[in-house]
Amino acid sequence: MRVVTGSEMRDLDQWTMQDFGMPGEMLMENAGRAAAGRMLTRLTLDERVIVLCGSGNNGGDGFVIARCLYEAGICPEVWLIPEENRLSGEAKFHYGLLLQCGIQVNSVQAGGKRCEDVIAAADVVIDAMLGTGVSGELREPYASLVAACNETAARVEAVDIPSGLPADEGVMWHTAVQADFTVVLAAYKESSFLPRTAPFYGEIEVVSIGLPPGTYDLLKYERRLWQRVDVQTTLPVRSAEDYKSTYGKGLIVGGSETMPGAPLLAGEAALKSGTGLLTLALPASFTSAAASRLPEAMLQPFSEGVRLSADVTKFDAAACGPGLGRDEAAAHLVQHLIYKTDGVLILDADALHILRPSELKSRRKPTVLTPHAGELAALTGLSVEEVLQAPFQTSFNFATAYGVYVVMKGAHTITSTPDGRQFVNPTGNAVLARGGTGDVLTGMVLAFTMSHTTLDAAVANAVYLHGAAADALAVTVPPHAVKTSDVISALPLAFQSVESTD
Ligand SMILES: NC(=O)C1=CN([C@@H]2O[C@H](COP(=O)(O)OP(=O)(O)OC[C@H]3O[C@@H](n4cnc5c(N)ncnc54)[C@H](OP(=O)(O)O)[C@@H]3O)[C@@H](O)[C@H]2O)[C@H](O)CC1
Ligand SMILES: [K+]
């Protein structure tokens, strides 16, 4: 399932109409009919349905939806927002078909009955006012109608995108329809994954509108959801012939006086994600605690300020950062691993605060960074707000500039690859909003980079199953009654959730 910008969507529309040869009127019929099909599953014949239609093609979809509802026996009350003469193209064509059906279309411009009053009295309001073509602050009467939609007790169902919301990240906006349900046409828009805009969509369903297969391959960059089927088709299958080093020799470097547990969380998660041979490098004072907590792990104690005694070149993958601290000794450890490891290097938490991005360019082996918004802000010199407003572009820029994988953690974690592909994670919930869950993910990424055939799948699968573990927990316990090690305990359930055949 793709994630597109408004301009990418328009390019795909244009290609479909001009090169593939599908008339715009047909594309709009497909879009409106698909949207109506999903809305009809939620409507009842006795509900008073209002359809608000704007001047562009989003409004055109509204005309088609109104006609489809009429066919199904629901007589919607249609409101045209602009003057009729503002309609053009396929929207004007479908407006004509609607009038041919004998459906009365009310005009917002005509005065008399106020559209706001009708919205207030409705059971369902279908928002086909503005789609991906919105720009700038809402002009009247759209601003007032959006406000009316946000005040009514009616169920509000948006077409393609809640009116007023931008399709793309990084766009300033002021107000938008708070939808209960949005039927997204053809592909997710970026704004359905951003912290500030995602809530306005309400429940989302994406519908096909008949774009020909392969259309999305025309886009320059792949940006899509990483879905259950992607995990199912790339998760390694264990074999009886496997032996303990089949899945690599992993190293985790972390821990400090104030955060002794972080590397243990990462280590336990790595062991529960398939690592056969794990070494923990942590302060000497914690080795007995580590040995009792993780007897499966080998230990490489380091004293303050001393380089790692282990030969880091013998590990297939290393993770550095959980609880490491940010003093000079920690900085030495990070640099030692950047320059000396001979396998995949995962940098997380304190390692990201110590890291000088320019040093990444010296690496000849893959590097995975797992920042949250604050850490990515520090790495890029942007503010946290700027990162949250444009997470796709920010993580894309860093990943491609430094040739690394960037896992930008959040409600919808975005994994960016060194060549600019991006995968949005659909799993996870508020359970993950607590200390230590990042350490768990680091351990999972370490394990998966050693067991998977591609790094794309290794990293995206770790993110997916990390969220799936939280989803499994949320089925039985409220998010506040969970501690981070419960997420590790739920990992078997996460694996089962993708291995089941249902
Ligand atoms: N492949 C697909 O996804 C398809 C999607 N379809 C639908 O088309 C819209 C995009 O249609 P478009 O015409 O480009 O844009 P809108 O419908 O959003 O409307 C743009 C007009 O809205 C007015 N406008 C823009 N900004 C504002 C504002 N800030 N305040 C008030 N009004 C605004 C403006 O009209 P004017 O006459 O005032 O200039 C714009 O022209 C997409 O979202 C889908 O719903 C197709 O139906 C099929 C393929
Ligand atoms: K809309």
Side-chain angles (χ1 to χ4, degrees), residues 13 55-58 61 86 130-133 135-137 139 160 209:
D13 284 353
S55 59
N57 286 344
N58 195 249
D61 294 340
R86 300 299 306 274
L130 297 167
T132 57
S135 63
E137 194 153 349
R139 299 189 292 274
D160 198 29
I209 63 171

Side-chain angles (χ1 to χ4, degrees), residues 158 160-161 182-189 201 204-208:
D160 198 29
I161 193 167
T182 301
V183 181
V184 171
L185 301 175
Y188 286 105
K189 311 312 184 275
Y201 279 81
I204 291 182
E205 281 196 43
V206 181
V207 293
S208 166

Side-chain angles (χ1 to χ4, degrees), residues 213-285:
T215 307
Y216 295 103
D217 299 338
L218 295 170
L219 296 179
K220 187 175 181 188
Y221 289 108
E222 181 183 7
R223 188 183 318 110
R224 67 181 180 86
L225 242 57
W226 187 266
Q227 296 179 278
R228 183 168 180 263
V229 64
D230 296 300
V231 183
Q232 288 175 318
T233 51
T234 56
L235 206 58
V237 177
R238 296 270 158 162
S239 148
E241 279 67 55
D242 291 346
Y243 47 95
K244 60 186 176 183
S245 63
T246 302
Y247 293 95
K249 295 191 284 293
L251 171 68
I252 292 175
V253 181
S256 57
E257 288 302 326
T258 54
M259 289 174 282
L264 302 183
L265 290 170
E268 189 175 2
L271 292 168
K272 278 208 152 177
S273 301
T275 299
L277 288 171
L278 177 70
T279 298
L280 288 182
L282 71 175
S285 52

Side-chain angles (χ1 to χ4, degrees), residues 5-16:
T5 63
S7 64
E8 285 173 337
M9 199 72 253
R10 278 185 289 279
D11 291 347
L12 295 176
D13 284 353
Q14 288 312 310
W15 180 84
T16 301

Side-chain angles (χ1 to χ4, degrees), residues 52 58 127-132 157-164 177 182:
L52 304 175
N58 195 249
D127 160 26
M129 295 188 278
L130 297 167
T132 57
E157 306 202 340
V159 179
D160 198 29
I161 193 167
S163 291
V177 163
T182 301

